[in-house]
Amino acid sequence: MTRIGVIIGSTRPGRNGEQVARWVRDVAAEHVGDAADFELVDLKDHALPLLDEAVPARMAPGRHPHTRRWAERIGACDAYIVVTPEYNTAPPAALTNAIDYLYEEWGGKPVGYVGYGVFGAVMAVQKLRAQAGPLRMADIGPQVALSLREDFVDFADFKPQEPHGAEVRGLVDELLAWARALAPLRAASPAAV
């Protein structure tokens, strides 16, 4: 079964990302049934310090236990949906830091994005897309952009507008097609789990 990690990209107190990620997971799971398993991957559960590995991830696997745990979690997934807010036109520092910890674990896997913010986190997602290519990830086209003004009550209580469910389903369909197409590449990777 294809394993999709739904990454909650914010660790900020009072974040909206957890409720958005749960909604994405639920819509996706209902849409595809047994074709895939959607798992929440919460950065808060990993408590990664600012990158503290002496050698870049592309050159050697991490030495620290927190890096190895993170690598196992990410390496076990076949694809990702990143749920991200936008802070000052960028993704959260915790998300960028978590991505920087690894290299092989990301390669040969598709990634899709669900952004939320005043303008749907489109600038944050654009920066994440720029990171995906050098990591050998397949950055798929569909993106879900949620507005804090229109999809949240008082900027906090998540109430997505109806068209967003169809957008998630379209993103998931493309993500699964890419995951199947890239399966041989993942199987040949040294980080394949």
Side-chain angles (χ1 to χ4, degrees):
M1 177 180 300
T2 304
R3 294 177 71 179
I4 311 294
V6 180
I7 300 173
I8 304 171
S10 174
T11 59
R12 180 179 178 174
R15 66 191 175 157
N16 291 324
E18 188 173 352
Q19 57 185 322
V20 173
R22 289 184 187 285
W23 171 76
V24 168
R25 180 201 57 198
D26 294 347
V27 168
E30 181 180 327
H31 177 58
V32 303
D34 293 337
D37 184 28
F38 295 86
E39 307 167 2
L40 293 179
V41 179
D42 194 340
L43 294 184
K44 283 180 79 169
D45 294 340
H46 293 277
L48 295 168
L50 284 177
L51 186 57
D52 62 350
E53 293 290 347
V55 178
R58 187 171 185 171
M59 297 173 64
R63 290 187 10 230
H64 297 298
H66 56 264
T67 306
R68 289 195 301 274
R69 282 190 302 274
W70 178 237
E72 287 174 20
R73 185 71 173 105
I74 291 303
C77 296
D78 300 305
Y80 311 99
I81 299 172
V82 176
V83 175
T84 184
E86 183 169 290
Y87 301 151
N88 301 318
T89 74
L95 177 56
T96 301
N97 184 58
I99 292 169
D100 288 344
Y101 261 93
L102 306 177
Y103 180 76
E104 288 295 332
E105 293 79 5
W106 300 117
K109 299 176 184 179
V111 59
Y113 303 97
V114 176
Y116 61 94
V118 175
F119 301 109
V122 293
M123 293 177 76
V125 169
Q126 183 177 21
K127 291 174 181 175
L128 290 168
R129 288 183 188 280
Q131 249 184 328
L135 292 170
R136 302 175 1 268
M137 297 175 81
D139 169 27
I140 69 166
Q143 172 182 339
V144 180
L146 303 166
S147 167
L148 285 175
R149 292 185 181 114
E150 298 169 359
D151 297 303
F152 292 82
V153 176
D154 296 325
F155 299 96
D157 187 21
F158 184 51
K159 303 287 183 199
Q161 294 184 20
E162 180 54 38
H164 296 309
E167 292 170 352
V168 169
R169 290 186 288 276
L171 183 150
V172 167
D173 287 343
E174 188 162 332
L175 193 72
L176 287 175
W178 276 94
R180 286 188 289 273
L182 292 171
L185 182 61
R186 287 192 309 279
S189 170
V193 177

